[in-house]
Coordinates of all heavy atoms in Angstrom, one line a residue:
M1 N -6.0 -8.8 2.0 CA -7.2 -8.2 1.6 C -7.0 -6.8 1.0 O -6.2 -6.0 1.4 CB -8.1 -8.0 2.9 CG -9.6 -7.8 2.6 SD -10.3 -9.1 1.7 CE -10.7 -10.3 2.9
Q2 N -7.7 -6.6 -0.1 CA -7.6 -5.3 -0.8 C -8.9 -4.6 -0.7 O -10.0 -5.2 -0.7 CB -7.2 -5.4 -2.3 CG -6.0 -6.3 -2.5 CD -5.6 -6.3 -4.0 OE1 -5.0 -5.4 -4.5 NE2 -6.0 -7.4 -4.6
T3 N -8.9 -3.3 -0.8 CA -10.1 -2.5 -0.9 C -10.1 -1.7 -2.1 O -9.1 -1.0 -2.4 CB -10.3 -1.6 0.4 OG1 -10.1 -2.4 1.6 CG2 -11.7 -0.9 0.4
C4 N -11.2 -1.7 -2.9 CA -11.3 -0.9 -4.1 C -11.6 0.5 -3.7 O -12.5 0.8 -2.9 CB -12.4 -1.5 -5.0 SG -12.8 -0.5 -6.4
S5 N -10.8 1.5 -4.3 CA -10.9 2.8 -3.9 C -12.2 3.5 -4.6 O -12.6 4.5 -4.2 CB -9.7 3.6 -4.3 OG -9.6 3.6 -5.7
R6 N -12.7 2.8 -5.6 CA -13.9 3.4 -6.3 C -15.2 3.0 -5.7 O -16.1 3.8 -5.5 CB -13.9 2.9 -7.8 CG -12.7 3.4 -8.5 CD -12.9 3.2 -10.0 NE -11.6 3.3 -10.7 CZ -11.5 3.1 -12.0 NH1 -12.6 2.7 -12.7 NH2 -10.4 3.2 -12.6
C7 N -15.4 1.7 -5.3 CA -16.7 1.2 -4.8 C -16.6 0.7 -3.4 O -17.5 0.2 -2.8 CB -17.3 0.2 -5.7 SG -16.4 -1.3 -5.8
H8 N -15.3 0.6 -2.8 CA -15.1 0.2 -1.5 C -15.5 -1.3 -1.3 O -15.7 -1.7 -0.1 CB -15.8 1.1 -0.5 CG -15.4 2.5 -0.6 ND1 -14.1 3.0 -0.2 CD2 -16.0 3.6 -1.2 CE1 -14.0 4.2 -0.6 NE2 -15.1 4.6 -1.1
S9 N -15.5 -2.1 -2.3 CA -15.6 -3.5 -2.2 C -14.3 -4.1 -1.7 O -13.3 -3.6 -2.0 CB -16.0 -4.1 -3.5 OG -17.2 -3.8 -4.0
L10 N -14.4 -5.2 -1.0 CA -13.2 -6.0 -0.6 C -12.9 -7.0 -1.7 O -13.8 -7.6 -2.3 CB -13.5 -6.7 0.8 CG -13.6 -5.7 2.0 CD1 -14.0 -6.5 3.2 CD2 -12.4 -4.9 2.2
A11 N -11.6 -7.2 -1.9 CA -11.2 -8.2 -2.9 C -10.1 -9.0 -2.3 O -9.4 -8.5 -1.3 CB -10.7 -7.5 -4.1
A12 N -9.9 -10.2 -2.7 CA -8.8 -11.1 -2.3 C -7.5 -10.5 -2.7 O -7.4 -9.8 -3.7 CB -9.0 -12.5 -2.8
D13 N -6.4 -10.8 -2.0 CA -5.1 -10.4 -2.4 C -4.7 -10.8 -3.8 O -4.0 -10.0 -4.5 CB -4.0 -11.0 -1.4 CG -4.0 -10.2 -0.1 OD1 -4.8 -9.3 0.1 OD2 -3.3 -10.7 0.8
T14 N -5.2 -11.9 -4.3 CA -4.9 -12.4 -5.6 C -5.7 -11.8 -6.7 O -5.4 -11.9 -7.9 CB -5.0 -13.9 -5.6 OG1 -6.3 -14.3 -5.0 CG2 -3.9 -14.6 -4.8
D15 N -6.8 -11.1 -6.3 CA -7.6 -10.5 -7.4 C -6.9 -9.3 -8.1 O -6.3 -8.5 -7.4 CB -8.9 -10.0 -6.8 CG -9.9 -11.1 -6.4 OD1 -9.6 -12.2 -6.7 OD2 -10.9 -10.8 -5.7
L16 N -7.0 -9.3 -9.4 CA -6.4 -8.2 -10.1 C -7.4 -7.1 -10.4 O -7.0 -6.0 -10.7 CB -5.7 -8.7 -11.4 CG -4.5 -9.6 -11.2 CD1 -3.9 -10.0 -12.5 CD2 -3.4 -8.9 -10.3
T17 N -8.7 -7.5 -10.4 CA -9.7 -6.5 -10.7 C -10.8 -6.6 -9.6 O -11.0 -7.7 -9.0 CB -10.4 -6.8 -12.0 OG1 -10.9 -8.1 -12.1 CG2 -9.5 -6.5 -13.2
C18 N -11.5 -5.5 -9.3 CA -12.5 -5.5 -8.3 C -13.7 -6.4 -8.7 O -14.1 -6.3 -9.8 CB -13.0 -4.0 -8.2 SG -14.4 -3.9 -7.1
P19 N -14.1 -7.2 -7.8 CA -15.2 -8.1 -8.1 C -16.5 -7.4 -8.4 O -17.4 -7.9 -9.0 CB -15.3 -9.1 -6.9 CG -14.6 -8.4 -5.8 CD -13.6 -7.5 -6.4
T20 N -16.6 -6.2 -7.9 CA -17.9 -5.4 -8.0 C -17.9 -4.5 -9.2 O -18.8 -4.5 -10.1 CB -18.2 -4.6 -6.8 OG1 -18.1 -5.5 -5.6 CG2 -19.5 -3.9 -6.8
C21 N -16.8 -3.7 -9.3 CA -16.8 -2.6 -10.4 C -15.8 -2.9 -11.5 O -15.6 -2.1 -12.4 CB -16.7 -1.3 -9.8 SG -15.1 -0.8 -9.3
Q22 N -15.0 -4.0 -11.4 CA -14.0 -4.3 -12.4 C -12.9 -3.3 -12.5 O -12.1 -3.3 -13.5 CB -14.6 -4.6 -13.7 CG -15.0 -6.0 -14.0 CD -16.3 -6.4 -13.1 OE1 -17.3 -5.8 -13.2 NE2 -16.2 -7.5 -12.4
A23 N -12.7 -2.5 -11.5 CA -11.6 -1.5 -11.5 C -10.3 -2.4 -11.4 O -10.2 -3.4 -10.8 CB -11.6 -0.6 -10.4
D24 N -9.2 -1.9 -12.0 CA -7.9 -2.5 -12.0 C -7.3 -2.3 -10.6 O -6.9 -1.1 -10.3 CB -7.0 -2.0 -13.1 CG -5.7 -2.7 -13.1 OD1 -5.3 -3.4 -12.2 OD2 -5.0 -2.6 -14.2
L25 N -7.2 -3.3 -9.8 CA -6.8 -3.1 -8.4 C -5.3 -2.7 -8.3 O -4.9 -2.1 -7.3 CB -7.1 -4.3 -7.6 CG -8.6 -4.6 -7.3 CD1 -8.8 -5.9 -6.6 CD2 -9.2 -3.4 -6.5
R26 N -4.5 -3.0 -9.3 CA -3.1 -2.6 -9.3 C -3.0 -1.1 -9.3 O -2.0 -0.5 -8.9 CB -2.3 -3.3 -10.4 CG -2.1 -4.8 -10.2 CD -1.7 -5.5 -11.5 NE -2.7 -5.3 -12.5 CZ -2.7 -5.8 -13.7 NH1 -1.6 -6.4 -14.1 NH2 -3.6 -5.6 -14.6
E27 N -4.1 -0.5 -9.9 CA -4.1 1.0 -10.0 C -5.1 1.6 -9.0 O -4.9 2.7 -8.5 CB -4.6 1.4 -11.4 CG -3.6 1.0 -12.5 CD -2.3 1.7 -12.5 OE1 -2.3 2.9 -12.1 OE2 -1.3 1.1 -12.7
S28 N -6.1 0.9 -8.6 CA -7.2 1.5 -7.9 C -7.5 0.9 -6.5 O -8.5 1.3 -5.9 CB -8.5 1.3 -8.8 OG -8.3 1.9 -10.0
S29 N -6.6 0.0 -6.0 CA -6.8 -0.4 -4.6 C -6.5 0.8 -3.7 O -5.8 1.7 -4.2 CB -5.9 -1.6 -4.3 OG -4.6 -1.2 -4.2
T30 N -7.0 0.8 -2.5 CA -6.8 2.0 -1.7 C -5.3 2.2 -1.4 O -4.8 3.3 -1.3 CB -7.5 1.9 -0.3 OG1 -7.3 0.5 0.2 CG2 -9.0 2.1 -0.5
T31 N -4.6 1.0 -1.3 CA -3.1 1.2 -1.0 C -2.4 1.7 -2.3 O -1.5 2.5 -2.1 CB -2.5 -0.2 -0.6 OG1 -2.9 -1.2 -1.6 CG2 -2.9 -0.6 0.8
A32 N -2.8 1.3 -3.5 CA -2.2 1.8 -4.7 C -2.4 3.3 -4.8 O -1.5 4.0 -5.2 CB -2.7 1.0 -5.9
V33 N -3.6 3.7 -4.5 CA -4.0 5.1 -4.7 C -3.1 5.9 -3.6 O -2.6 7.0 -3.9 CB -5.5 5.4 -4.5 CG1 -5.8 6.8 -4.3 CG2 -6.2 4.7 -5.6
A34 N -3.1 5.4 -2.4 CA -2.3 6.1 -1.3 C -0.8 6.2 -1.8 O -0.2 7.3 -1.6 CB -2.4 5.4 0.0
L35 N -0.3 5.1 -2.3 CA 1.1 5.2 -2.7 C 1.4 6.2 -3.8 O 2.3 7.0 -3.7 CB 1.6 3.8 -3.2 CG 3.0 3.7 -3.7 CD1 4.0 4.1 -2.6 CD2 3.3 2.3 -4.2
R36 N 0.5 6.3 -4.7 CA 0.6 7.2 -5.8 C 0.6 8.7 -5.3 O 1.3 9.5 -5.7 CB -0.5 7.0 -6.9 CG 0.0 7.3 -8.3 CD -0.8 6.7 -9.4 NE -2.2 6.7 -9.1 CZ -3.1 5.7 -9.1 NH1 -2.6 4.5 -9.4 NH2 -4.4 5.9 -8.9
E37 N -0.3 8.9 -4.3 CA -0.4 10.2 -3.7 C 0.8 10.6 -3.0 O 1.4 11.7 -3.1 CB -1.6 10.3 -2.8 CG -2.9 10.6 -3.5 CD -4.1 10.5 -2.6 OE1 -3.9 10.5 -1.4 OE2 -5.2 10.5 -3.1
F38 N 1.4 9.7 -2.3 CA 2.7 9.9 -1.5 C 3.8 10.2 -2.5 O 4.6 11.1 -2.3 CB 3.0 8.8 -0.6 CG 2.0 8.5 0.5 CD1 1.8 7.3 1.0 CD2 1.2 9.6 1.0 CE1 0.9 7.0 2.0 CE2 0.3 9.3 2.0 CZ 0.1 8.0 2.5
Q39 N 3.8 9.4 -3.6 CA 4.9 9.5 -4.6 C 4.8 10.9 -5.3 O 5.8 11.5 -5.7 CB 4.9 8.4 -5.6 CG 5.4 7.1 -5.0 CD 5.2 5.9 -5.9 OE1 4.2 5.9 -6.7 NE2 6.0 4.9 -5.8
N40 N 3.6 11.4 -5.4 CA 3.4 12.7 -6.1 C 3.5 13.9 -5.2 O 3.5 15.0 -5.7 CB 2.0 12.7 -6.8 CG 2.0 11.8 -8.0 OD1 3.1 11.5 -8.6 ND2 0.9 11.3 -8.4
N41 N 3.6 13.6 -3.9 CA 3.7 14.7 -3.0 C 5.2 15.0 -2.7 O 5.9 14.2 -2.1 CB 3.0 14.3 -1.7 CG 3.0 15.4 -0.6 OD1 3.7 16.3 -0.7 ND2 2.1 15.2 0.3
P42 N 5.6 16.2 -3.1 CA 7.1 16.5 -2.9 C 7.5 16.6 -1.4 O 8.7 16.5 -1.1 CB 7.2 17.9 -3.6 CG 5.9 18.4 -3.8 CD 4.9 17.3 -3.7
R43 N 6.5 16.7 -0.5 CA 6.9 16.8 0.9 C 7.2 15.4 1.5 O 7.8 15.3 2.5 CB 5.8 17.5 1.7 CG 5.9 19.0 1.6 CD 4.8 19.7 2.5 NE 4.9 19.2 3.8 CZ 3.9 19.2 4.7 NH1 2.7 19.6 4.3 NH2 4.1 18.9 5.9
V44 N 6.7 14.4 0.8 CA 7.0 13.0 1.2 C 8.4 12.6 0.7 O 8.6 12.6 -0.5 CB 5.9 12.0 0.7 CG1 6.3 10.6 1.1 CG2 4.5 12.5 1.2
I45 N 9.3 12.3 1.6 CA 10.7 12.0 1.3 C 10.9 10.5 1.2 O 11.7 10.0 0.4 CB 11.7 12.7 2.1 CG1 11.4 12.5 3.6 CG2 11.8 14.2 1.8 CD1 12.5 12.9 4.5
M46 N 10.3 9.8 2.1 CA 10.4 8.3 2.1 C 9.1 7.7 2.5 O 8.2 8.4 3.0 CB 11.4 7.9 3.2 CG 12.8 8.5 3.1 SD 13.9 7.5 2.1 CE 14.5 6.3 3.3
I47 N 8.9 6.4 2.2 CA 7.6 5.8 2.5 C 7.9 4.6 3.4 O 8.8 3.8 3.1 CB 6.9 5.4 1.3 CG1 6.5 6.7 0.5 CG2 5.6 4.5 1.6 CD1 5.9 6.4 -0.8
H48 N 7.2 4.5 4.5 CA 7.3 3.4 5.5 C 6.3 2.4 5.2 O 5.1 2.7 5.0 CB 7.2 4.0 6.9 CG 7.4 2.9 8.0 ND1 8.7 2.4 8.2 CD2 6.6 2.3 8.8 CE1 8.6 1.5 9.2 NE2 7.3 1.4 9.5
L49 N 6.7 1.2 5.1 CA 5.8 0.1 4.9 C 5.5 -0.5 6.3 O 6.4 -1.1 6.9 CB 6.3 -1.0 4.0 CG 5.3 -2.0 3.4 CD1 5.9 -2.5 2.1 CD2 5.0 -3.1 4.3
A50 N 4.3 -0.3 6.8 CA 3.9 -0.7 8.1 C 3.1 -2.0 8.1 O 2.3 -2.2 7.1 CB 3.0 0.4 8.8
V51 N 3.4 -2.9 9.0 CA 2.7 -4.2 9.0 C 1.8 -4.3 10.3 O 2.0 -3.6 11.3 CB 3.7 -5.4 9.0 CG1 4.6 -5.3 7.8 CG2 4.5 -5.4 10.3
A52 N 0.7 -5.1 10.2 CA -0.1 -5.3 11.3 C 0.6 -6.1 12.4 O 1.6 -6.8 12.1 CB -1.4 -6.1 10.9
E53 N 0.1 -6.0 13.6 CA 0.7 -6.7 14.7 C 0.8 -8.2 14.5 O 1.7 -8.9 14.9 CB 0.0 -6.4 16.0 CG 0.6 -5.3 16.8 CD -0.3 -5.0 18.1 OE1 -0.6 -5.9 18.8 OE2 -0.6 -3.8 18.2
D54 N -0.2 -8.8 13.8 CA -0.3 -10.2 13.6 C 0.1 -10.5 12.2 O -0.2 -11.6 11.7 CB -1.7 -10.7 13.9 CG -2.7 -10.1 13.0 OD1 -2.4 -9.1 12.3 OD2 -3.9 -10.7 12.9
A55 N 0.9 -9.7 11.6 CA 1.4 -10.0 10.2 C 2.2 -11.3 10.1 O 2.8 -11.7 11.1 CB 2.2 -8.8 9.7
C56 N 2.1 -11.9 9.0 CA 2.8 -13.1 8.7 C 4.3 -12.8 8.6 O 4.7 -11.7 8.4 CB 2.3 -13.8 7.5 SG 2.8 -13.0 6.0
P57 N 5.2 -13.8 8.7 CA 6.7 -13.6 8.6 C 7.1 -12.9 7.3 O 8.0 -12.1 7.3 CB 7.3 -15.0 8.7 CG 6.2 -15.8 9.4 CD 4.9 -15.2 9.0
T58 N 6.4 -13.3 6.2 CA 6.7 -12.6 4.9 C 6.5 -11.2 4.9 O 7.4 -10.4 4.5 CB 5.8 -13.2 3.8 OG1 5.9 -14.7 3.9 CG2 6.3 -12.8 2.4
C59 N 5.4 -10.7 5.5 CA 5.1 -9.3 5.6 C 6.1 -8.6 6.5 O 6.6 -7.5 6.3 CB 3.7 -9.1 6.0 SG 2.5 -9.5 4.7
Q60 N 6.3 -9.3 7.7 CA 7.2 -8.7 8.7 C 8.6 -8.4 8.1 O 9.2 -7.5 8.4 CB 7.3 -9.6 9.9 CG 6.0 -9.3 10.8 CD 6.0 -10.2 12.1 OE1 7.1 -10.7 12.4 NE2 4.9 -10.2 12.7
A61 N 9.0 -9.4 7.2 CA 10.3 -9.2 6.6 C 10.4 -8.0 5.7 O 11.4 -7.5 5.4 CB 10.7 -10.5 5.9
M62 N 9.2 -7.6 5.1 CA 9.1 -6.5 4.2 C 9.0 -5.2 4.9 O 9.1 -4.1 4.3 CB 7.9 -6.7 3.2 CG 8.0 -7.9 2.4 SD 9.5 -8.0 1.3 CE 8.9 -6.9 0.0
A63 N 8.6 -5.2 6.2 CA 8.4 -3.9 6.9 C 9.7 -3.1 6.9 O 10.8 -3.6 6.9 CB 8.0 -4.2 8.3
G64 N 9.5 -1.8 6.8 CA 10.7 -0.9 6.8 C 10.4 0.3 6.0 O 9.3 0.6 5.6
T65 N 11.5 1.1 5.8 CA 11.3 2.4 5.2 C 12.0 2.4 3.8 O 13.2 1.9 3.8 CB 11.9 3.5 6.1 OG1 11.2 3.5 7.3 CG2 11.7 4.9 5.5
Y66 N 11.4 2.8 2.8 CA 11.9 2.7 1.4 C 11.9 4.1 0.7 O 11.1 4.9 1.0 CB 11.0 1.8 0.6 CG 10.9 0.4 1.1 CD1 10.0 0.0 2.1 CD2 11.8 -0.6 0.6 CE1 10.0 -1.3 2.6 CE2 11.7 -1.9 1.0 CZ 10.9 -2.3 2.0 OH 10.8 -3.6 2.5
P67 N 12.9 4.2 -0.2 CA 12.8 5.4 -1.1 C 11.5 5.3 -1.9 O 11.0 4.2 -2.2 CB 14.0 5.2 -2.0 CG 14.9 4.2 -1.4 CD 14.0 3.3 -0.5
K68 N 11.0 6.5 -2.3 CA 9.7 6.6 -2.9 C 9.5 5.7 -4.1 O 8.5 5.2 -4.4 CB 9.4 8.0 -3.3 CG 9.0 8.9 -2.1 CD 8.1 10.0 -2.5 CE 8.7 11.1 -3.3 NZ 7.8 12.3 -3.3
D69 N 10.6 5.5 -4.9 CA 10.5 4.8 -6.1 C 10.8 3.3 -5.9 O 10.9 2.6 -6.9 CB 11.4 5.4 -7.2 CG 12.8 5.5 -6.7 OD1 13.1 5.3 -5.5 OD2 13.7 5.7 -7.6
R70 N 11.1 2.9 -4.7 CA 11.4 1.5 -4.5 C 10.6 0.8 -3.5 O 11.0 -0.1 -2.7 CB 12.9 1.3 -4.2 CG 13.7 1.0 -5.4 CD 15.2 0.9 -5.1 NE 15.8 2.2 -5.3 CZ 16.9 2.6 -4.7 NH1 17.5 1.8 -3.8 NH2 17.4 3.8 -4.9
V71 N 9.4 1.3 -3.4 CA 8.4 0.7 -2.3 C 7.8 -0.6 -2.9 O 7.3 -0.6 -4.0 CB 7.3 1.7 -2.0 CG1 6.4 1.2 -0.9 CG2 7.9 3.1 -1.7
P72 N 7.8 -1.6 -2.1 CA 7.2 -2.9 -2.5 C 5.6 -2.7 -2.7 O 5.0 -1.9 -2.0 CB 7.4 -3.9 -1.4 CG 8.4 -3.2 -0.5 CD 8.4 -1.8 -0.7
R73 N 5.1 -3.4 -3.6 CA 3.7 -3.3 -3.9 C 2.9 -4.0 -2.9 O 3.3 -5.0 -2.3 CB 3.5 -4.0 -5.3 CG 2.5 -3.4 -6.2 CD 2.6 -4.0 -7.5 NE 2.8 -2.9 -8.6 CZ 1.8 -2.1 -8.8 NH1 0.7 -2.1 -8.2 NH2 2.0 -1.1 -9.7
L74 N 1.7 -3.5 -2.5 CA 0.8 -4.2 -1.6 C -0.4 -4.7 -2.5 O -0.7 -4.1 -3.4 CB 0.3 -3.2 -0.6 CG 1.3 -2.7 0.5 CD1 0.6 -1.8 1.5 CD2 2.0 -3.9 1.2
P75 N -1.0 -5.8 -2.1 CA -0.6 -6.7 -1.0 C 0.8 -7.4 -1.3 O 1.1 -7.6 -2.4 CB -1.7 -7.8 -1.0 CG -2.3 -7.7 -2.4 CD -2.1 -6.3 -2.9
I76 N 1.5 -7.7 -0.2 CA 2.7 -8.4 -0.3 C 2.6 -9.8 -1.0 O 1.7 -10.6 -0.5 CB 3.4 -8.6 1.1 CG1 3.6 -7.3 1.8 CG2 4.7 -9.4 1.0 CD1 4.7 -6.4 1.2
E77 N 3.3 -10.0 -2.0 CA 3.3 -11.3 -2.7 C 3.8 -12.4 -1.7 O 4.8 -12.2 -1.0 CB 4.2 -11.3 -3.9 CG 3.7 -12.2 -5.0 CD 4.6 -12.1 -6.2 OE1 5.1 -11.0 -6.5 OE2 4.8 -13.1 -6.8
G78 N 3.0 -13.5 -1.6 CA 3.4 -14.6 -0.7 C 2.9 -14.4 0.7 O 3.3 -15.3 1.5
C79 N 2.1 -13.5 1.0 CA 1.5 -13.3 2.3 C 0.8 -14.6 2.7 O 0.0 -15.1 1.9 CB 0.6 -12.1 2.4 SG -0.2 -11.9 4.0
S80 N 1.0 -15.0 3.9 CA 0.3 -16.3 4.3 C -0.7 -16.1 5.4 O -1.2 -17.0 6.0 CB 1.4 -17.3 4.8 OG 2.1 -16.8 5.9
H81 N -1.0 -14.8 5.7 CA -2.1 -14.6 6.7 C -3.4 -15.0 6.2 O -3.7 -14.8 5.0 CB -2.1 -13.1 7.0 CG -2.9 -12.7 8.3 ND1 -4.3 -12.7 8.3 CD2 -2.5 -12.4 9.5 CE1 -4.7 -12.4 9.5 NE2 -3.7 -12.2 10.3
P82 N -4.2 -15.7 7.0 CA -5.5 -16.3 6.6 C -6.4 -15.2 6.0 O -7.2 -15.4 5.1 CB -6.1 -16.9 7.8 CG -5.1 -16.8 8.9 CD -3.9 -16.1 8.4
Q83 N -6.4 -14.0 6.6 CA -7.2 -12.9 6.0 C -6.5 -12.1 5.0 O -7.1 -11.1 4.6 CB -7.7 -12.0 7.2 CG -9.1 -12.3 7.6 CD -9.1 -13.3 8.8 OE1 -8.4 -13.1 9.8 NE2 -9.8 -14.4 8.7
G84 N -5.3 -12.5 4.6 CA -4.6 -11.7 3.6 C -3.8 -10.6 4.2 O -3.8 -10.4 5.4
C85 N -3.1 -9.9 3.3 CA -2.1 -8.9 3.7 C -2.8 -7.6 4.2 O -3.7 -7.1 3.6 CB -1.3 -8.5 2.5 SG -0.1 -7.3 2.7
H86 N -2.4 -7.2 5.4 CA -2.9 -5.9 6.0 C -1.9 -4.8 6.1 O -2.1 -3.8 6.8 CB -3.4 -6.2 7.4 CG -4.8 -7.0 7.5 ND1 -4.8 -8.3 7.3 CD2 -6.0 -6.5 7.6 CE1 -6.1 -8.7 7.3 NE2 -6.8 -7.6 7.6
C87 N -0.8 -5.0 5.3 CA 0.2 -3.9 5.4 C -0.4 -2.6 4.8 O -1.3 -2.6 4.0 CB 1.4 -4.4 4.5 SG 2.1 -5.9 5.1
F88 N 0.2 -1.5 5.2 CA -0.2 -0.2 4.7 C 1.0 0.7 4.6 O 2.1 0.4 5.2 CB -1.3 0.4 5.5 CG -1.0 0.6 6.9 CD1 -0.6 1.8 7.4 CD2 -1.2 -0.5 7.8 CE1 -0.3 2.0 8.7 CE2 -0.9 -0.3 9.2 CZ -0.5 0.9 9.6
Y89 N 0.8 1.8 3.9 CA 1.9 2.8 3.7 C 1.8 4.0 4.7 O 0.7 4.4 4.9 CB 1.9 3.3 2.3 CG 2.1 2.3 1.2 CD1 1.1 2.1 0.2 CD2 3.2 1.5 1.1 CE1 1.3 1.2 -0.8 CE2 3.4 0.6 0.1 CZ 2.5 0.4 -0.8 OH 2.6 -0.5 -1.8
Q90 N 2.9 4.4 5.1 CA 2.9 5.7 5.9 C 3.9 6.6 5.3 O 5.1 6.2 5.1 CB 3.3 5.4 7.4 CG 2.2 4.7 8.2 CD 2.7 4.4 9.6 OE1 3.8 4.1 9.8 NE2 1.8 4.4 10.5
P91 N 3.5 7.8 5.0 CA 4.5 8.8 4.5 C 5.4 9.3 5.5 O 5.0 9.6 6.6 CB 3.6 9.9 3.9 CG 2.4 9.9 4.8 CD 2.2 8.4 5.3
L92 N 6.7 9.5 5.1 CA 7.6 10.2 6.0 C 7.8 11.6 5.4 O 8.3 11.7 4.2 CB 8.9 9.5 6.1 CG 8.8 8.1 6.8 CD1 10.2 7.5 7.0 CD2 8.1 8.1 8.1
L93 N 7.5 12.6 6.1 CA 7.5 14.0 5.5 C 8.9 14.6 5.8 O 9.5 14.4 6.8 CB 6.5 14.8 6.2 CG 5.0 14.4 5.9 CD1 4.1 15.3 6.6 CD2 4.7 14.3 4.5
G94 N 9.3 15.4 4.8 CA 10.6 16.1 4.9 C 10.3 17.4 5.7 O 9.3 17.6 6.4
E95 N 11.3 18.3 5.7 CA 11.2 19.5 6.4 C 9.8 20.3 6.1 O 9.4 20.3 5.0 CB 12.3 20.4 5.8 CG 12.9 21.4 6.7 CD 14.1 22.1 6.1 OE1 14.9 21.4 5.5 OE2 14.1 23.3 6.1
I96 N 9.3 20.7 7.2 CA 8.0 21.5 7.0 C 8.3 23.0 7.1 O 8.9 23.5 8.0 CB 7.0 21.1 8.2 CG1 6.7 19.6 8.1 CG2 5.8 21.9 8.1 CD1 6.0 19.1 9.3
F97 N 7.9 23.6 6.0 CA 8.2 25.0 5.8 C 7.2 25.9 6.6 O 6.0 25.5 6.6 CB 8.3 25.4 4.4 CG 9.4 24.7 3.6 CD1 9.1 23.6 2.8 CD2 10.7 25.1 3.7 CE1 10.0 22.9 2.1 CE2 11.7 24.4 3.1 CZ 11.4 23.3 2.3
P98 N 7.7 27.0 7.2 CA 6.7 27.8 8.0 C 5.6 28.4 7.1 O 5.8 28.6 5.9 CB 7.6 28.9 8.6 CG 8.9 28.8 7.8 CD 9.0 27.5 7.2
Ligands
ZN101 ZN1 -14.7 -1.6 -7.2
ZN102 ZN1 1.3 -11.2 5.3

């Protein structure tokens, strides 16, 4: 399941555009927007791909911590969960300056 960051409509994992506002979900899904923010934030050193407790085996295999420029795209391709991919990104922050 994807959420459009512009109108908050839900879209299927396979949808490339928002069914409501036609935004490009590869750029405008909430996970794509979050990833871009983390990549642009110099304090974020790595990005953790977190999976839901009931995630399918495909998603569980993708869980882990990735360099900022090598993070897998969400939704995970090939996710077999009936409600779709629920994976999300968590930023790992570097040294915090006083
Ligand atoms: Zn939308
Ligand atoms: Zn999955």
Side-chain angles (χ1 to χ4, degrees):
M1 199 58 83
Q2 307 183 81
T3 307
C4 174
S5 66
R6 295 196 197 172
C7 70
H8 305 286
S9 293
L10 293 175
D13 283 357
T14 47
D15 287 353
L16 294 180
T17 54
C18 170
T20 305
C21 75
Q22 269 71 54
D24 184 343
L25 291 174
R26 287 165 301 179
E27 298 291 322
S28 301
S29 71
T30 48
T31 51
V33 169
L35 177 59
R36 213 159 43 229
E37 279 174 12
F38 298 151
Q39 286 173 331
N40 289 334
N41 181 344
R43 282 183 55 206
V44 177
I45 47 169
M46 302 272 276
I47 294 171
H48 184 72
L49 197 156
V51 303
E53 262 173 52
D54 63 345
C56 73
T58 309
C59 291
Q60 281 181 13
M62 298 299 281
T65 304
Y66 295 87
K68 287 210 284 193
D69 57 346
R70 262 177 271 153
V71 185
R73 221 166 231 294
L74 294 182
I76 301 287
E77 209 179 323
C79 174
S80 61
H81 192 283
Q83 260 94 54
C85 179
H86 284 79
C87 300
F88 57 96
Y89 299 122
Q90 287 177 325
L92 297 188
L93 299 178
E95 212 175 311
I96 296 168
F97 297 101

